[in-house]
Amino acid sequence: MFPNAFKYEAPTSIDEAIRLMDEYGYDGKVLAGGQSLLPMMKLRIAAPAVIIDINNLDELKGWSEVNGKLRIGAVTRQSELEHATELRDQFPLLSRTARWVADPLIRNLGTVVGSLVHADPASDWGTAMIALNAMVEAKGTNGNRLIPIDEFFVDTFATSLEENELAVALHLPIPTSLVAARYMKLKRKAGDFAIAGLAVQVAVDDEGRVSEAGIGICACGPIPLRAVKAEEALIGQRLTVKTIEEVSKLVPEDADPADDLRGSTVYKKDLLRVFAARALREIAEELHGKVEVQ
Amino acid sequence: MALQQNELRPMGKSIARKEDPRFIRGKGRYVDDVILPNMLYMSILRSPYAHARIRRIDTSAALAAPGVKLVLTGEDLAKMNLAWMPTLNGDQQMVLAVGKVLFQYQEIAAVIAETRAQAEDALQLIEVDYESLPVVVDPFEALEPDAPILREDREKKSNHIWHWESGDREETENVFREATVVVKQDVRFQRVHPSPLEPCGCVADHNAATGRLTFYITSQAPHVHRTVIAMLSGIPEHQIRVISPDIGGGFGNKVGVYPGYVCAVVASLKLGVPVKWIETRTENIASTSFARDFHMTAEIAAREDGKVLALRVKTIGDHGAFDAAANPTKFPAGLFNIVTGSYDFKTAFVEVDGVYTNKAPGGVAYRCSFRVTEASYLIERTMDILAQRLKMDPAELRFLNFIRKDQFPYHSPTGWVYDSGDYEKTLKLALERIGYDELRKEQAEKRARGELMGIGISTFTEIVGAGPKNTFDILGIKMFDSAQIRVHPTGKVIARLGVRHQGQGHETTFAQIIAEELGLSADDVLIEEGDTDTAPYGLGTYASRSTPAAGTAAALCGRRIREKARKIAAHLLEVGEDDVIWDGTVFSAKGFSGKSVTMKDVAFAAYTNLPEGMEPGLEATYYYDPPNLTFPHGAYIAVVDIDKGTGAVKVRRFMAVDDCGNVINPMIVEGQIHGGLTEGFAIAFMQDIPYDANGNCLAPNWMDYLVPTSLDTPPWETDRTVTPSPHHPIGAKGVGESPNVGSPAAFVNAVVDALSPLGVEHIDMPIFPWKVWNILREHGINE
């Protein structure tokens, strides 16, 4: 309910924000949407000495196309991406994931980049970004770098960002062919974290064969995971009933869930299989008619 | 559509709730809105361990922290003889730990500071040296001979608290011995929590100059709390004013007395300024009274044709570290022996044993008339198992065994006298409204295709309105209730009652009752509850007792007013009292059409133009001692579909037909039913407070103790039959708890029905998707 006392900084430029992060080091914590940080501070699970609020930084708001990628600024709200109709054809996974994340109030303030930096293993956004092969743009005192999402998550609540590096944006590859995506999630109640979840994006070529496949796994390991074997097995295939069945069985092989109140290891693995089959079936149905997929 | 409140004869009409404008506009006044000059804030340090010896507590750093005025420990309270307090169930409970702690989140010390943040900061500076002790979380293990004794304060060196039994053991055993059909099932009603939106809290304001304690508290029973505080603190009762302001939900959570209240009073006494204490969400869930946690075994003896003969029930009640239930004193397991339910058992025997474990204390009635929810769930679940064994339709089995309409007043084998009921009619209506025969056809078709659909029935009987004074008391105080009505000269009314609403709509329904009796509109009547300085003594609002007890007091008090009004009317009409006719809105003179006076005219005359020798004024008080309880009932039907891939259950439809006697405000009744069904749904599918082997509470917040939102909740369909209570002056029975009592069995019966082709007879709540998935995969059912 009542956080420990903290100092509040509100930088007016990215450079100032990074200078403050450098100055305070471990004691500083960046505030974006605050939808994970503030509850943790209220419960005194987190007690940063300094809050560095980046919400005033206009350069971090909104999105644009940069070098063939969609660049999404770090304080872009989840709800903005959820409702951006212009992104739906090329990035269907954004709105499809958003509606599974917490509730509208949280999505109105929460940011996608903030969710990634928080690095919760049950992050729906982390899972979706795996499927989208996203990159995180980090800026520090030594300049910018792009971190592939597979190198970004290190462990539960830990990323490869340096202490004085600010995640300023997210880069999503712009698809060059037809894509379809699904987000599947089972939860105990509305707004809850996933028991297990799965993000799937598939791109198909003119012949209806899978040219790119991204499958992210939610809440089944220390970090959001990638279903590598299933992705590989999809490449070059048409989405036939047989392929879908075989591929979905591969998804749990890359998962590492734990037994907890939400369910057992075997249960969560089986959910991933069920979700993969459902997601791929729906994707096949959606693409059917647009190209020959089966 | 709700009507305006200015209609005459408002009884039975859906008029708009008078309390809503202030709640909707954010103008309610809750305990946390009470801000007094010089007020300090209290926070409580709680134990991280479930069972540990306390070697030492060092509060010196906390005392030296900024803003801190006082730190209290169990030792400080012991000097005042307040380290322990009595519970409403005849046990005693530590206020602040002395010597050892018995559950995680137990109260260790209280810090009082200028701001809440300072108090929270200082808590972190208190050093406690614990020596951990073996933890007992399982009540069956607690009863083992070599189990560690948890309660060293008791003379009895055992974790067994009490044994209670009801019915006829010998006769029941005889019937079982000769019965051709016997079904037996272990059924757990898991530990849940009332979890109101507003947690508990108080502001204690002791004025050293006047010697008066004003105590603002989230209380469902302010008068009882005043008496308890007087007994505990030694402050004379007339010097205590308990004010229970607007309450954000109670559901039984705000009946008990909690350690924080005692600490706040002590702090205010010591410091001479007001002290506020408001729980966090975790404190509310993890330390204040939980509900249920009953381990039950039921056996039914029956004939081959399905006619039930006898019921035998054995139960272990897990009360946690202290028996902090709030049952009527003679009923340690509440009214659990209502477990024969709606069925005509010839004999029954019920026994319950209370047990201590290293868990949070309690056992309160969560939207339930003292363990009737456990009883109702058990019998409705077991009846379905009997139907399954005999390959009978569960509706047919119920019709065969219902207590018939002509058997009322019905004497149950455990000693209750059911006032009235028509179970057949209620179930028939529910079956018809939901289209039962078509649903069974659909189910058969789906089964043939391998799809899993279930239909679950629960035909429960409630027992509410405690209660007759010879049977029911709390710490010796008889469970009557009261109303006081004052009619002002302009015909406007203020009425005060001994109960305290927490969302039930008393400000509207009681205004309707009184307006009906006085020929006024609900708008003319202001209802006030919760201030012990102004309201007549009453036992409070829980166990659906407000309408049966205080509602009756209000009606009879209104009639008492009318008796005097009739005399004044006779004077105004210039006729003899016997010639005055009351038609519900006016007094008129027999034979003189057109000559009439209203209650308003009479009220004015009561202060201005009285008959010779009559005492001025128009007011009355009524204390009502109910001759019996009331027995509302209902028939609920749930329809579910099961996802074979994930095990998730979707409640497709839910039909609730309630019979709560005469209805005062149908809209409010429907709202009550929606709320209770939502709670029952949550209990059936989401809610549990598990503990790990070390006694760590695994659901101490709303992230893990799941409260459903509108997105989770299925659509509710409601209807009603009306079987008035013969002994209640307005024929009403009470309804607030029926949906929580009756619905869990309907949900579970529906899920079990869906899985019954696999031979499944029972699944314990909450029915999480993984439980269903386990069953499906065990039986080779897959997507």
Side-chain angles (χ1 to χ4, degrees):
Chain A
M1 287 293 285
F2 300 88
N4 290 69
F6 59 88
K7 189 177 168 188
Y8 175 80
E9 298 274 10
T12 52
S13 72
I14 292 178
D15 286 344
E16 190 192 352
I18 291 165
R19 189 183 54 72
L20 289 167
M21 288 173 74
D22 198 45
E23 181 185 334
Y24 292 117
Y26 176 80
D27 289 340
K29 187 83 189 161
V30 172
L31 174 73
Q35 298 305 293
S36 298
L37 178 61
L38 297 184
M40 288 171 76
M41 288 172 65
K42 283 180 179 178
L43 293 167
R44 297 195 169 202
I45 296 167
V50 185
I51 286 293
I52 302 164
D53 182 350
I54 58 168
N55 283 283
N56 296 330
L57 306 182
D58 288 339
E59 311 112 278
L60 300 183
K61 290 173 184 168
W63 54 85
S64 58
E65 202 180 314
V66 177
N67 300 332
K69 299 233 162 104
L70 181 73
R71 183 180 185 274
I72 300 169
V75 295
T76 308
R77 310 296 162 183
Q78 295 168 20
S79 59
E80 295 177 66
L81 294 169
E82 178 181 359
H83 301 299
T85 46
E86 70 271 25
L87 296 177
R88 290 220 176 129
D89 284 344
Q90 287 187 302
F91 302 96
L93 198 51
L94 294 179
S95 58
R96 286 190 176 273
T97 303
R99 51 182 291 262
W100 287 100
V101 177
D103 55 52
L105 284 75
I106 286 176
R107 299 200 292 271
N108 282 342
L109 273 173
T111 66
V112 175
V113 173
S115 168
L116 299 181
V117 172
H118 180 55
D120 192 309
S123 165
D124 297 303
W125 288 115
T127 308
M129 291 309 131
I130 298 247
L132 291 176
N133 293 305
M135 309 243 253
V136 178
E137 180 187 342
K139 192 171 182 190
T141 45
N142 299 326
N144 289 36
R145 64 172 177 141
L146 281 175
I147 309 170
I149 195 74
D150 295 83
E151 292 164 26
F152 185 74
F153 298 119
V154 174
D155 204 343
T156 302
F157 304 129
T159 69
S160 55
L161 286 171
E162 299 293 332
E163 211 163 70
N164 57 6
E165 262 185 325
L166 179 67
V168 291
L170 184 66
H171 292 243
L172 305 183
I174 295 175
T176 51
S177 61
L178 195 58
V179 295
R182 287 294 182 277
Y183 196 78
M184 299 264 162
K185 176 174 173 178
L186 187 68
K187 50 194 180 169
R188 300 172 301 173
K189 60 162 279 191
D192 188 24
F193 289 103
I195 298 169
L198 197 74
V200 183
Q201 171 152 301
V202 169
V204 289
D205 60 21
D206 296 340
E207 293 175 356
R209 292 182 190 278
V210 175
S211 55
E212 286 169 59
I215 303 178
I217 296 171
C218 183
C220 287
I223 55 172
L225 296 169
R226 180 181 294 281
V228 182
K229 289 177 188 157
E231 285 180 356
E232 283 171 359
L234 274 173
I235 301 295
Q237 302 295 319
R238 287 203 164 94
L239 292 176
T240 61
V241 172
K242 187 161 167 280
T243 303
I244 290 173
E245 196 189 326
E246 284 167 5
V247 168
S248 12
K249 282 182 185 156
L250 295 175
V251 171
E253 292 187 16
D254 282 308
D256 183 21
D259 292 330
D260 60 22
L261 292 176
R262 286 180 164 82
S264 65
T265 303
V266 276
Y267 174 57
K268 291 176 188 177
K269 284 191 167 187
D270 194 49
L271 283 182
L272 297 176
R273 176 191 64 81
V274 170
F275 286 157
R278 287 180 185 181
L280 289 169
R281 274 201 301 270
E282 286 185 23
I283 286 170
E285 207 169 297
E286 184 184 321
L287 293 175
H288 186 72
K290 293 183 184 170
V291 289
E292 190 186 328
V293 291
Q294 297 217 345
Chain B
M1 189 63 194
L3 302 171
Q4 294 302 306
Q5 297 135 357
N6 54 11
E7 305 233 331
L8 294 180
R9 306 302 304 266
M11 184 62 89
K13 292 180 184 159
S14 288
I15 65 172
R17 285 178 19 127
K18 296 174 62 154
E19 44 269 80
D20 281 347
R22 78 171 186 276
F23 291 139
I24 290 167
R25 293 175 201 185
K27 296 292 182 190
R29 189 183 189 233
Y30 299 91
V31 72
D32 205 11
D33 294 321
V34 175
I35 294 167
L36 302 176
N38 304 317
M39 188 171 79
L40 302 176
Y41 295 81
M42 185 177 91
S43 293
I44 294 177
L45 180 72
R46 292 172 183 277
S47 172
Y49 298 105
H51 197 198
R53 187 99 35 220
I54 296 177
R55 288 209 197 101
R56 192 180 57 93
I57 302 179
D58 184 350
T59 60
S60 53
L63 261 173
V68 173
K69 301 292 181 190
L70 179 70
V71 179
L72 289 172
T73 63
E75 273 183 39
D76 300 323
L77 295 182
K79 286 174 202 148
M80 308 168 74
N81 202 23
L82 282 174
W84 293 78
M85 62 179 186
T87 72
L88 295 178
N89 230 33
D91 195 1
Q92 60 168 3
Q93 176 175 359
M94 280 189 236
V95 177
L96 293 174
V98 189
K100 69 178 199 167
V101 289
L102 288 155
F103 69 98
Q104 190 189 37
Y105 294 105
Q106 188 178 333
E107 298 79 2
I108 303 285
V111 171
I112 295 92
E114 285 169 10
T115 69
R116 175 118 191 223
Q118 287 172 335
E120 295 283 335
D121 287 344
L123 288 185
Q124 294 175 320
L125 301 173
I126 298 175
E127 283 178 32
V128 186
D129 189 2
Y130 295 100
E131 174 194 341
S132 63
L133 295 169
V135 172
V136 183
V137 293
D138 181 317
F140 295 94
E141 281 171 24
L143 291 175
E144 295 289 331
D146 57 346
I149 304 300
L150 306 185
R151 290 287 301 276
E152 291 159 353
D153 58 298
R154 294 173 84 231
E155 262 179 47
K156 187 171 162 184
K157 295 302 167 210
S158 152
N159 297 320
H160 182 259
I161 315 173
W162 42 256
H163 174 82
W164 181 71
E165 54 185 58
S166 172
D168 191 328
R169 183 195 294 262
E170 205 176 317
E171 201 193 328
T172 302
E173 276 172 11
N174 288 340
V175 175
F176 269 91
R177 216 169 287 127
E178 282 159 29
T180 49
V181 178
V182 172
V183 294
K184 182 176 182 178
Q185 182 64 50
D186 292 335
V187 175
R188 170 97 199 279
F189 206 128
Q190 77 275 22
R191 180 175 278 235
V192 296
H193 196 278
S195 213
L197 192 57
E198 177 204 33
C200 298
C202 67
V203 179
D205 179 16
H206 185 257
N207 183 327
T210 62
R212 269 215 117 188
L213 172 70
T214 308
F215 194 46
Y216 304 84
I217 174 178
T218 50
S219 171
Q220 294 176 232
H223 301 273
V224 177
H225 283 157
R226 185 186 71 196
T227 303
V228 170
I229 292 162
M231 283 164 22
L232 266 177
S233 67
I235 301 170
E237 195 167 359
H238 67 292
Q239 287 285 53
I240 302 170
R241 178 184 188 184
V242 173
I243 297 176
S244 176
D246 285 331
I247 300 182
F251 312 113
N253 184 238
K254 293 166 181 171
V255 177
V257 175
Y258 298 121
Y261 300 152
V262 179
C263 292
V265 171
V266 169
S268 183
L269 279 165
K270 281 186 174 257
L271 296 167
V273 290
V275 173
K276 177 186 276 189
W277 170 65
I278 305 288
E279 286 178 336
T280 62
R281 178 66 52 203
T282 292
E283 287 182 294
N284 183 252
I285 298 176
S287 79
T288 63
S289 286
F290 72 90
R292 328 287 191 240
D293 215 346
F294 257 28
H295 299 255
M296 310 177 280
T297 303
E299 292 172 273
I300 293 178
R303 292 195 320 226
E304 301 279 357
D305 65 356
K307 184 83 191 134
V308 298
L309 303 169
L311 177 70
R312 186 159 58 191
V313 174
K314 197 167 164 54
T315 290
I316 297 290
D318 184 345
H319 281 263
F322 308 99
D323 182 2
N327 292 315
T329 299
K330 295 188 189 78
F331 296 85
L335 314 184
F336 184 65
N337 60 348
I338 188 73
V339 67
T340 53
S342 308
Y343 312 107
D344 190 13
F345 284 93
K346 293 302 165 211
T347 182
F349 180 68
V350 182
E351 56 187 326
V352 186
D353 290 276
V355 178
Y356 292 121
T357 57
N358 288 121
K359 293 190 262 185
V364 292
Y366 160 26
R367 203 170 185 153
C368 152
S369 191
F370 314 117
R371 303 289 191 188
V372 60
T373 308
E374 291 90 323
S376 169
Y377 177 62
L378 183 66
I379 186 62
E380 290 304 316
R381 200 62 280 289
T382 316
M383 285 299 278
D384 256 39
I385 294 168
L386 177 64
Q388 206 175 332
R389 291 270 180 91
L390 296 173
K391 299 188 168 45
M392 280 179 79
D393 184 291
E396 188 194 336
L397 181 77
R398 285 171 166 82
F399 281 124
L400 178 70
N401 287 295
F402 275 150
I403 297 159
R404 294 185 321 274
K405 194 180 167 189
D406 59 19
Q407 286 176 280
F408 292 94
Y410 171 78
H411 291 257
S412 90
T414 55
W416 298 110
V417 183
Y418 295 16
D419 60 345
S420 66
D422 190 343
Y423 301 150
E424 243 186 71
K425 186 171 161 190
T426 308
L427 179 56
K428 271 186 183 154
L429 179 61
L431 295 171
E432 185 190 305
R433 282 286 318 267
I434 203 152
Y436 186 69
D437 295 339
E438 291 75 34
L439 285 169
R440 284 289 178 205
K441 265 181 225 148
E442 182 193 339
Q443 184 186 39
E445 288 163 17
K446 287 200 161 150
R447 275 185 183 163
R449 293 200 299 268
E451 291 173 42
L452 301 169
M453 167 189 166
I455 306 161
I457 299 175
S458 167
T459 46
F460 62 94
T461 288
E462 261 260 71
I463 171 167
V464 308
K469 70 175 186 300
N470 292 335
T471 321
F472 291 97
D473 68 85
I474 288 183
L475 301 175
I477 302 164
K478 307 298 187 188
M479 294 184 74
F480 53 77
D481 229 289
S482 60
Q484 184 186 66
I485 300 175
R486 281 186 186 172
V487 187
H488 302 317
T490 55
K492 304 295 178 185
V493 175
I494 183 163
R496 297 183 168 107
L497 297 100
V499 287
R500 180 67 185 113
H501 68 92
Q502 318 118 44
Q504 292 88 342
H506 290 184
E507 290 176 37
T508 310
T509 47
F510 290 163
Q512 284 176 266
I513 292 175
I514 292 167
E516 180 75 21
E517 297 294 340
L518 298 184
L520 300 169
S521 79
D523 238 3
D524 296 325
V525 183
L526 179 75
I527 300 293
E528 191 185 277
E529 298 175 350
D531 183 341
T532 59
D533 263 15
T534 58
Y537 203 97
L539 275 282
T541 294
Y542 42 84
S544 289
R545 65 185 299 280
S546 294
T547 292
T552 309
L556 297 180
C557 192
R559 288 174 200 180
R560 195 169 266 176
I561 295 262
R562 215 166 62 212
E563 284 316 300
K564 181 169 180 182
R566 175 187 293 277
K567 291 187 174 70
I568 300 172
H571 165 69
L572 295 177
L573 294 166
E574 298 175 322
V575 294
E577 206 189 318
D578 293 344
D579 292 326
V580 173
I581 301 165
W582 169 252
D583 73 351
T585 55
V586 293
F587 292 106
S588 53
K590 207 182 278 178
F592 292 89
S593 58
K595 199 175 176 194
S596 67
V597 291
T598 63
M599 187 60 74
K600 229 172 186 175
D601 302 326
V602 168
F604 196 67
Y607 297 88
T608 59
N609 173 21
L610 280 166
E612 203 60 40
M614 184 182 281
E615 184 185 353
L618 192 57
E619 63 179 77
T621 304
Y622 200 102
Y623 278 74
Y624 179 68
D625 172 25
N628 188 7
L629 295 115
T630 65
F631 295 75
H633 63 276
Y636 291 173
I637 305 178
V639 184
V640 303
D641 297 299
I642 292 178
D643 181 330
K644 287 191 288 185
T646 63
V649 177
K650 185 175 165 53
V651 179
R652 189 204 309 175
R653 288 185 67 192
F654 195 98
M655 183 75 226
V657 179
D658 274 275
D659 191 325
C660 58
N662 288 332
V663 172
I664 299 159
N665 184 322
M667 179 191 71
I668 288 179
V669 167
E670 199 183 352
Q672 290 266 45
I673 290 167
H674 281 218
L677 292 177
T678 303
E679 288 176 333
F681 167 77
I683 290 167
F685 293 109
M686 298 178 175
Q687 296 181 332
D688 187 14
I689 305 185
Y691 285 78
D692 70 12
N694 294 319
N696 293 307
C697 176
L698 300 180
N701 51 51
W702 276 353
M703 215 165 89
D704 288 309
Y705 189 73
L706 305 176
V707 178
T709 68
S710 59
L711 294 175
D712 302 292
T713 308
W716 308 119
E717 301 165 61
T718 59
D719 207 333
R720 66 169 180 269
T721 57
V722 178
T723 312
S725 169
H727 65 75
H728 187 286
I730 56 174
K733 284 189 170 184
V735 74
E737 298 166 338
S738 290
N740 192 323
V741 168
S743 67
F747 294 115
V748 177
N749 287 350
V751 177
V752 173
D753 182 55
L755 300 172
S756 60
L758 311 177
V760 174
E761 287 190 344
H762 179 67
I763 308 173
D764 269 332
M765 300 186 291
I767 303 180
F768 291 125
W770 63 262
K771 287 191 185 174
V772 177
W773 179 91
N774 279 349
I775 292 167
L776 295 175
R777 295 299 182 269
E778 266 169 35
H779 291 85
I781 292 179
N782 210 327
E783 178 179 285

